[in-house]
Structures are given as C-alpha cells and as structure tokens.
Amino acid sequence: MALRHEPTASYHSVQDALRVLETVARRSTGINDSELARETGIGTERLTTLLRMLRREAYVEQITDGAYVTGAAFVRLGSADGHQEALRETLQHTLDRLRDSVGAAVYLSRYVDGEVTVTQYADSPDTPKVNEWVDFRYSAHATAVGKSLLTQLDHEGRRDHLARHRPARLTSRTVTSDRLLLTRLASQPPTVPVLDLQEYAVGTVCAAVPITAGSSVGCLALSLPLEHAHRLRRAADTLNRNAAPVLLSLAI
C-alpha cells in the first residue's frame, strides 16, 4: 500500500518546529531568539509563532536571561524509557486543549494494518463524543475520520479497503457507491477538512484533517450535534490550524 504524500501547512510547521528544537537541544546552556533565527534561517515573525507553540506544549522553556532550553515534554518524549506513556499523556493534554478551543469532542485516529482505529479522544459533558453505533472499522465510507484516512492512501489502498468493508447505508445521506466514493476521495484537497454531514449518524456532523507522519496515516477529527452544525466549518478550520502540536508529538 502506497501513501499519497501532499504536505499540509501543519506538516511544514512541524518541520520548522523540529529544526528549532534540534537547534535548542544542541545548545545545553541555552540559545536566544536572534541566534535561533540565524542558525535555523527562519524569519523572526515565524520563529516567534513557533516558539510560542513550543513553550505552550513544554517542548522548550525560557530561562532567566531569556535564552531557550529544552522543556520537560521534549525530555520525556526523547527518553526511550516510558516513551509511549509520555506520548499518550502529551497527546491527551493537547486533545483536551483542542476540545476546549473548538468546543467539540476531538478524536485522534490512525490507519493501522488496514483498519480505522480511534487511538485517543477528548470529550466532556458539554462536548459528548459520538455514539459509535456502528464500529468505526466498518464505517470508514461514512465517517469524517474514515474518509480522511482513506484520502491518504493511494487508489489501490482505497479499493482494497472498500472491498474488505463494503459500504453500507447507515443514514439516508450515506454514499454507498464505490465509484462515487473513490471519485470524492481522489478529489479531496489535503488542506481542506473532510466533512460528515449526518452520513454516519442522524443528528451528528463531523470534520477531520490529516496528520500524516512518515509512513503513519492519521487524522484529527471533531464531532458536533446537528444543532451546532453552523459551527462546523469554523471549528474544523480551527482544528486544522492547531494540528501541528499533535503531529510534532508523533514526530519526536
């Protein structure tokens, strides 16, 4: 199975953030922002935005003289011992913050061994997660999560998935035609969130954005009750703009 690599804005942000982190890590006594700009080649305004994000996520911290050193989250993720636990905790912290930022339940999903898997999520009494009335593994054709993951596969990978999990009609809006599904997946721009407008469940709308790291296919998604459908596109855009910290955690 081949992947369709089309870098998103979040991908480029992560590449720049990794360059900053590598530069900071090489200078154990600290490095100031002007030195960072010179050594990384990243413009001042762009660097300020990246450093703000890296500080918020505890990947770097500022010491008394204003210089930057590696932060607690970077140290935890960089350690071989307990890496998976540290990654899960870091991702959960980010998902919780995203949930509060977009005002919706948020999900992190991956395509593993040919199956859709929701690995983590953040919900609350005010932002309940979607009722998984049909296993997400068998409903990729109808969910924003599934469609986002499938768009990151090549044509043969998508055909293989649909052959193993035949598209079933879950609501009156569900698309069950292989040809129409494959056409829509192929034409989906990687920078535009994938939407589910009551295709999986009546009364629920969802959106998802890709977070591909190396050979790992993943996505971030959110769900809203139908009465909040007017917020979906704005929430999806917010999710898209803030996907970089999740991708960064997976890349470290």
Side-chain angles (χ1 to χ4, degrees), residues 96-205:
D96 290 345
R97 185 174 47 76
L98 281 173
R99 174 201 60 208
D100 296 340
S101 176
V102 302
V106 176
Y107 313 78
L108 176 61
S109 304
R110 294 181 60 202
Y111 195 73
V112 181
D113 297 330
E115 303 294 349
V116 172
T117 304
V118 175
T119 55
Q120 288 178 246
Y121 65 88
D123 66 347
S124 73
D126 293 329
T127 56
K129 65 184 179 70
V130 67
N131 173 35
E132 188 180 351
W133 75 283
V134 176
D135 194 314
F136 290 144
R137 290 176 298 175
Y138 310 131
S139 54
H141 65 290
T143 64
V145 162
K147 289 186 288 184
S148 181
L149 295 174
L150 292 178
T151 61
Q152 298 173 63
L153 308 182
D154 63 6
H155 181 71
E156 290 307 313
R158 296 174 198 143
R159 283 173 57 95
D160 172 73
H161 184 93
L162 294 177
R164 288 184 291 109
H165 300 301
R166 298 303 305 157
R169 187 170 300 284
L170 306 182
T171 76
S172 62
R173 294 174 175 265
T174 308
V175 175
T176 58
S177 162
D178 282 14
R179 178 177 294 181
L180 183 54
L181 278 167
L182 289 169
T183 298
R184 289 185 177 181
L185 292 171
S187 62
Q188 174 70 30
T191 55
V192 178
V194 178
L195 303 182
D196 157 20
L197 305 177
Q198 300 190 88
E199 295 169 57
Y200 173 75
V202 174
T204 301
V205 294

Side-chain angles (χ1 to χ4, degrees), residues 16-36:
D16 288 345
L18 285 172
R19 198 151 79 243
V20 172
L21 275 175
E22 289 166 359
T23 305
V24 172
R26 287 199 301 266
R27 300 280 288 271
S28 59
T29 57
I31 181 171
N32 63 38
D33 47 9
S34 60
E35 291 173 318
L36 271 171

Side-chain angles (χ1 to χ4, degrees), residues 47-83:
L47 181 61
T48 298
T49 300
L50 289 170
L51 286 170
R52 187 182 303 120
M53 183 267 285
L54 291 171
R55 288 182 65 188
R56 186 184 65 226
E57 301 297 327
Y59 289 124
V60 301
E61 61 182 61
Q62 257 183 316
I63 52 181
T64 51
D65 64 355
Y68 291 92
V69 295
T70 53
F74 181 75
V75 173
R76 287 199 307 271
L77 288 174
S79 171
D81 295 330
H83 171 77

